[in-house]
Amino acid sequence: MSENAGLLSNLRVLDISSYIAAPAAAMILGDFGADVIKIEPPGSGDPYRVFQNSPGNPASDIAYGWQMDNRNKRSLALDLAGGAGRTAFKRMVGLADVVIVNMPLKSRAKLSLTYEDLKCLNPRLIYASLTAYGEQGPEADRSGFDHTALWARTGMMDTVRPAPESPPSRSALGMGDHASGMTLFGAIMMALYRREITGEGSSVQTNLMANGLWCNAVQVQAMLCGAEYAYRPAREQADNALHNLYKTSDDRWFHLVVIPEEKRWPVLLQVIDREDLSTDTRFDTVAKRHANASDLVKVLDEVFLCQTMQHWQAKLDAAGIPLGVVQRLRDIPEDRQMNESDALTPLHGLEGQTDRTVNSPIWVAEMPKRPAQRAPEHGEHSEDILEEFGFSQDEINGLLQDGAVQSIKKREQGIS
């Protein structure tokens, strides 16, 4: 492996998944150098290509979701529902390292794309499966999305409501999908490690519901131990005024965390120039501050509303008191820490449209990631990929004529 080839440059990955979570796992493999081949049906391809046009999503001429989760991949437009396309795919499986799939279990069985169908073609194959609710149980065949299987089903929508009387809080697009994609990536890497030891492939799986339970595990475990969950009170009636949200004079919010409280309470009073509160009988012990939290919230509300976010961030940072600025999405592109830490990273190939993307949150010392390249056009690499997998030009032409394969090259040449 050459110095700049990438840690996973010896891997061939066939990504036959759609939308977000499973493709995100494939994207991370691509970030580290794997040759990731995105296999989409001819015609319109993965519906995620136009997901930005769906109601409620930020409108844009750029397919931002597609660019995010399918960078550093190549596209093969191949019909897995047809006999010729499926036969071609199975031939490719024999030369692949990983297949990533998230289609419903019944569809896999119908198309002969289960692990049992494919492992006989390649004993070293890693079959990475993502489902909504798991692969056993009465709902194994049920379809689902991030919002339904991960957020709603696992109690998170109910848990994070801002006050007991508030309706459940809706999640934003893809929030749980990317966490689930990271889980699938980790499972793939474990299977590859096992293959190094045993020489054998295997099937790995995760599901949205299990990832939602994992995200909400502390509250779920409390319930499993018989501790009934108490809805969080509204901000104004917080149980702990020193672990709460506050607003500044320039209409910004931050989350204050004064921990350990005994040590940092006197420091906070110095920062806000309210040392008189140290002798206020409502607040002179930890127990009293908690018992009178609503009163303390009112006091701190008045204090923090007198100055800007910049003022309070500088003062609290200097005093070593943790706070989290409630960042607005519009602030993120210019966030210096995000840019200089490589959490936001350059995206190449979309000059004039965008110059950055969100990096995968893993770095390996002395193993630089592949520079992020734009996501592929539909069928952009079809012919090149098939040729690399040993298909002759006559075979490729036959697949094109049959409609089993679609190629951007042929479209550009005006050839059907």
Side-chain angles (χ1 to χ4, degrees), residues 116-390:
E116 298 299 321
D117 294 318
L118 301 183
K119 71 176 183 179
C120 59
L121 307 173
N122 183 351
R124 290 174 55 81
L125 181 69
I126 308 302
Y127 183 92
S129 168
L130 187 139
T131 59
Y133 297 97
E135 301 191 16
Q136 296 82 38
E139 297 179 52
D141 291 321
R142 189 178 182 187
S143 61
F145 291 90
D146 170 306
H147 299 280
T148 58
L150 190 148
W151 287 93
R153 181 61 176 270
T154 63
M156 281 200 291
M157 280 186 174
D158 191 48
T159 301
V160 301
R161 62 176 72 201
E165 67 278 6
S166 301
S169 296
R170 293 179 297 171
S171 58
L173 174 65
M175 292 174 67
D177 281 317
H178 281 108
S180 301
M182 186 61 71
T183 302
L184 188 60
F185 167 77
I188 292 168
M189 296 307 298
M190 289 183 67
L192 289 168
Y193 178 70
R194 176 180 179 272
R195 191 176 75 172
E196 285 298 304
I197 298 172
T198 67
E200 299 175 354
S202 60
S203 173
V204 297
Q205 58 181 261
T206 191
N207 64 79
L208 297 176
M209 182 181 69
N211 278 275
L213 283 173
W214 182 245
C215 290
N216 205 25
V218 174
Q219 304 299 340
V220 173
Q221 188 63 56
M223 187 65 69
L224 293 173
C225 292
E228 184 69 31
Y229 178 73
Y231 289 109
R232 294 177 300 177
R235 187 196 72 84
E236 294 78 10
Q237 286 82 46
D239 298 316
N240 185 354
L242 303 183
H243 195 319
N244 201 17
L245 287 160
Y246 292 97
K247 191 177 183 180
T248 61
S249 63
D250 51 346
D251 201 30
R252 299 300 304 273
W253 289 89
F254 69 91
H255 196 120
L256 179 71
V257 183
V258 182
I259 296 176
E261 187 172 327
E262 283 281 24
K263 177 181 178 181
R264 286 183 166 150
W265 168 246
V267 179
L268 175 67
L269 298 185
Q270 292 177 353
V271 168
I272 65 176
D273 196 23
R274 287 297 308 269
E275 291 174 279
D276 59 295
L277 295 176
S278 64
T279 58
D280 189 315
T281 56
R282 295 173 298 170
F283 311 132
D284 57 3
T285 68
V286 172
K288 288 182 180 180
R289 286 194 289 275
H290 292 178
N292 298 295
S294 295
D295 289 345
L296 185 52
V297 168
K298 292 176 183 178
V299 171
L300 295 178
D301 273 344
E302 292 180 1
V303 170
F304 290 126
L305 272 171
C306 291
Q307 295 289 347
T308 65
M309 176 64 74
Q310 184 179 11
H311 172 89
W312 289 121
Q313 184 169 14
K315 296 269 286 186
L316 292 165
D317 280 347
I321 295 177
L323 81 157
V325 177
V326 179
Q327 194 89 302
R328 301 165 301 193
L329 284 171
R330 70 174 72 96
D331 301 320
I332 289 175
E334 305 309 318
D335 188 303
R336 181 176 176 185
Q337 182 61 28
M338 290 181 179
N339 282 283
E340 294 189 14
S341 68
D342 201 33
L344 295 176
T345 198
L347 177 62
H348 305 279
L350 289 178
E351 288 73 14
Q353 299 181 68
T354 186
D355 62 352
R356 280 167 294 169
T357 188
V358 179
N359 209 345
S360 49
I362 300 173
W363 291 266
V364 180
E366 301 178 6
M367 287 290 175
K369 294 180 182 179
R370 173 190 293 171
Q373 302 290 336
R374 66 165 177 83
E377 297 293 331
H378 184 215
E380 181 175 352
H381 308 96
S382 293
E383 295 176 71
D384 293 339
I385 291 168
L386 291 172
E387 184 177 350
E388 292 168 15
F389 275 83

Side-chain angles (χ1 to χ4, degrees), residues 41-59:
S44 57
D46 185 340
Y48 195 36
R49 285 184 173 274
V50 294
F51 203 62
Q52 75 279 1
N53 298 329
S54 300
N57 293 331

Side-chain angles (χ1 to χ4, degrees), residues 18-33:
S18 61
Y19 285 105
I20 304 177
M27 177 267 289
I28 301 170
L29 294 169
D31 280 353
F32 285 96

